[in-house]
Amino acid sequence: MYNRGIRGATTVTRNDEQEILDETLRLMKEIADRNDINPEDICSIWITLTHDLDAAFPAKAIRQLEGWELVPLMCSMEVPVKGSLPRCIRLMVTVNTDKGQAEINHVYLNEAKKLRPDLAAPKA
């Protein structure tokens, strides 16, 4: 078994608590579905937000999922680089898996698809 990182990112249209929570949840569910993982497989999840998002802790959304209450979550602010993608939420999900690096499905939604167009489309 290996310890692998699964990247994901999404954007919101405004600094709104409910939108931040909804998009975080959507992103986390996509990562779990595309990689066939469950909470017991997860070592931890690192969540970052750009500095223009301060209306909510995205971890709150994940903690409310049934069975996810014990998954270690940490929120942080993204490095404020000029010209970077605004209103962006990023996840780094560290999992235990038998999959190789090439089998991992990273997930980029909304405007975050611009960050890694090579990884944005789901694998067939």
Side-chain angles (χ1 to χ4, degrees):
M1 186 155 294
Y2 304 99
N3 192 248
R4 302 277 187 217
I6 305 171
R7 294 176 301 214
T10 190
T11 56
V12 293
T13 59
R14 55 198 163 83
N15 184 27
D16 174 77
E17 178 181 16
Q18 195 57 55
E19 188 174 359
I20 291 169
L21 298 176
D22 290 347
E23 281 302 315
T24 300
L25 200 54
R26 179 174 167 234
L27 179 60
M28 186 66 249
K29 286 180 178 179
E30 272 302 307
I31 289 171
D33 289 348
R34 290 189 197 179
N35 290 282
D36 193 31
I37 58 173
N38 61 63
E40 202 59 35
D41 300 326
I42 299 173
C43 300
S44 63
I45 302 173
W46 188 263
I47 307 161
T48 64
L49 299 105
T50 49
H51 286 259
D52 49 7
L53 297 178
D54 62 4
F57 286 107
K60 177 181 177 182
I62 298 170
R63 281 192 188 102
Q64 293 174 355
L65 288 170
E66 186 176 340
W68 292 70
E69 304 87 2
L70 299 177
V71 173
L73 305 167
M74 179 67 71
C75 294
S76 180
M77 298 303 284
E78 192 69 36
V79 176
V81 175
K82 288 183 183 181
S84 63
L85 186 64
R87 296 179 306 279
C88 188
I89 303 163
R90 290 177 172 89
L91 301 182
M92 174 63 79
V93 182
T94 307
V95 299
N96 292 310
T97 182
D98 289 324
K99 293 180 181 181
Q101 290 282 21
E103 297 173 280
I104 298 296
N105 293 294
H106 305 285
V107 178
Y108 292 85
L109 305 174
N110 301 327
E111 292 298 309
K113 291 176 183 177
K114 296 174 184 175
L115 296 172
R116 288 297 304 264
D118 57 321
L119 299 177
K123 294 180 185 175

